[in-house]
Amino acid sequence: MKRLIFSIIILNLVFSVNAQKYMTKNGFISFYGHTPMEDIKADNNQVASVLDISTGDLVFQVLIKSFHFDRALMEEHFNENYLESDKFPKATFKGKITNLQSVNFAKNGTYDVTVDGDLTIRDATNKVSAKGSIEVISGGINANSKFNISPEDYKINIPGVVREKIAKNLEVTVTMKYSPL
Amino acid sequence: MKKSYKLALAVFSVIAVAGVLYGLYKYNLKPKDLQKVKPDFVLTATDLLKAFESDENGAAAKFVDKVVEVSGTIQSVKPGENGALTISLNTGNDISSVLCTLQGNAEPVNFKTGEQITIRGNCSGFLMDVLLNNCSVIQK
């Protein structure tokens, strides 16, 4: 009997803890840069992310090599010259929803949020603050955001010859479809 | 004197034109269609995941940037924002699988959970799953 009660308590704990966490392994992040010379665009459909709705904690992880370009040469340069993905295979973001109280996770709807956190690309970490939205739907949570980053903030060396071809600011688009963990 | 000058100019222009054409060709080169590329490794999704679980660095050195052909059963099919499908393969592990993002657009209805499939892709490494990109479906 004691054992049964104990297992019920444990089970309850597990489920209540689980209901607070949402996860995806197929998140989408793309970036886009425009200059008169050239547009740069890459997509990544293999973003792993966890959202904890009790604390507002958000974690994203991507493999640099999972960014896919339309041009093979651009992808090669991105990996070998700029991001050095053999040396720095992952990029991560760890942050928090700063206005968690304005999201009602119990009620379907779209809520505006601000996320503050640290973005690590290569061996450089910078503070990022991004506006976005959280959409509560039945059985899941969608999250969307767009923000800008600058390659120079992440020690990405771009030689003078091609400097004009690569935008000073890249627009990052984040689209996540979370399911309960 | 004049003649050799002309010849040099002609040779130079041919080289210049060839250079520009080669540059344009390289610049416009699309990602490789893996349907036509011989795989470096052929194995099951379960074995590929096991390799990364037992020795992540060793497996990364062996498989990353290589063309890997994996076979297994479909766990789930998720359409991406840009129309590219991501298929995850069963590995007998609850948390980790092999995730394959297909090159180009494909209809999700063509793939059913539990179906046996063989996919060839570029291995980009291990996150929570083994990730394959630019994938082609080899056999269904």
Side-chain angles (χ1 to χ4, degrees):
Chain A
M1 192 58 191
K2 244 184 186 168
R3 222 173 169 177
L4 183 69
I5 293 170
F6 183 70
S7 20
I8 288 171
I9 291 171
I10 289 290
L11 271 178
N12 270 325
L13 264 178
V14 168
F15 279 109
S16 59
V17 166
N18 274 355
Q20 306 296 310
K21 284 198 176 164
Y22 286 76
M23 195 184 86
T24 179
K25 299 199 278 192
N26 314 95
F28 176 79
I29 290 182
S30 74
F31 64 85
Y32 172 75
H34 170 80
T35 66
M37 301 274 285
E38 195 164 55
D39 282 351
I40 294 170
K41 191 180 173 305
D43 294 342
N44 188 331
N45 276 299
Q46 302 176 329
V47 182
S49 175
V50 175
L51 163 66
D52 186 332
I53 63 169
S54 62
T55 58
D57 285 323
L58 257 177
V59 179
F60 294 88
Q61 260 200 334
V62 298
L63 285 182
I64 299 300
K65 282 185 200 284
S66 287
F67 278 101
H68 198 53
F69 292 69
D70 283 339
R71 297 181 198 279
L73 193 65
M74 223 184 245
E75 189 165 314
E76 192 184 310
H77 289 169
F78 171 76
N79 278 299
E80 286 173 11
N81 305 351
Y82 301 133
L83 275 289
E84 297 180 77
S85 55
D86 282 326
K87 246 160 90 187
F88 312 107
K90 287 174 193 172
T92 55
F93 174 84
K94 277 183 192 157
K96 229 177 169 62
I97 298 172
T98 55
N99 58 327
L100 194 65
Q101 67 287 348
S102 56
V103 185
N104 182 357
F105 287 101
K107 193 173 164 233
N108 286 6
T110 306
Y111 307 89
D112 288 330
V113 292
T114 303
V115 175
D116 284 356
D118 295 317
L119 177 59
T120 305
I121 301 174
R122 292 177 51 116
D123 51 348
T125 301
N126 287 295
K127 294 265 176 237
V128 168
S129 180
K131 294 210 178 309
S133 67
I134 291 275
E135 189 192 356
V136 179
I137 55 167
S138 310
I141 292 172
N142 296 338
N144 295 290
S145 178
K146 263 187 197 221
F147 60 94
N148 289 309
I149 61 170
S150 158
E152 270 146 29
D153 292 343
Y154 297 89
K155 304 184 196 165
I156 295 166
N157 278 322
I158 298 167
V161 210
V162 293
R163 190 66 204 87
E164 293 309 309
K165 291 174 81 176
I166 299 173
K168 297 247 187 315
N169 268 300
L170 297 171
E171 185 188 62
V172 181
T173 305
V174 180
T175 309
M176 299 290 139
K177 291 187 169 72
Y178 295 102
S179 351
L181 193 69
Chain B
M1 177 64 193
K2 231 178 181 178
K3 215 173 183 180
S4 66
Y5 184 69
K6 259 187 187 162
L7 185 71
L9 193 71
V11 169
F12 177 75
S13 344
V14 167
I15 292 172
V17 168
V20 168
L21 284 180
Y22 180 71
L24 275 176
Y25 162 76
K26 279 288 274 184
Y27 176 74
N28 284 308
L29 210 59
K30 297 279 167 218
K32 269 186 193 149
D33 179 1
L34 295 188
Q35 203 76 251
K36 297 169 191 148
V37 178
K38 222 174 142 247
D40 298 305
F41 298 98
V42 179
L43 70 176
T44 64
T46 309
D47 287 344
L48 182 59
L49 177 67
K50 269 194 190 135
F52 275 92
E53 279 178 336
S54 59
D55 175 14
E56 192 177 334
N57 291 334
K62 186 173 169 190
F63 294 110
V64 169
D65 285 335
K66 295 289 191 311
V67 178
V68 181
E69 186 173 304
V70 285
S71 50
T73 53
I74 299 176
Q75 186 181 51
S76 73
V77 182
K78 302 240 167 90
E81 287 304 306
N82 56 353
L85 283 188
T86 299
I87 297 178
S88 78
L89 300 178
N90 285 312
T91 54
N93 179 316
D94 285 341
I95 302 158
S96 300
S97 70
V98 176
L99 284 188
C100 313
T101 299
L102 301 188
Q103 166 68 5
N105 294 358
E107 286 300 320
V109 290
N110 293 340
F111 302 97
K112 290 183 183 63
T113 308
E115 219 172 29
Q116 181 73 30
I117 195 166
T118 302
I119 297 176
R120 200 179 286 162
N122 289 115
C123 184
S124 41
F126 184 77
L127 211 49
M128 291 170 76
D129 312 85
V130 184
L131 304 181
L132 301 186
N133 265 284
N134 195 23
C135 294
S136 271
V137 175
I138 301 304
Q139 205 178 54
K140 252 193 4 143

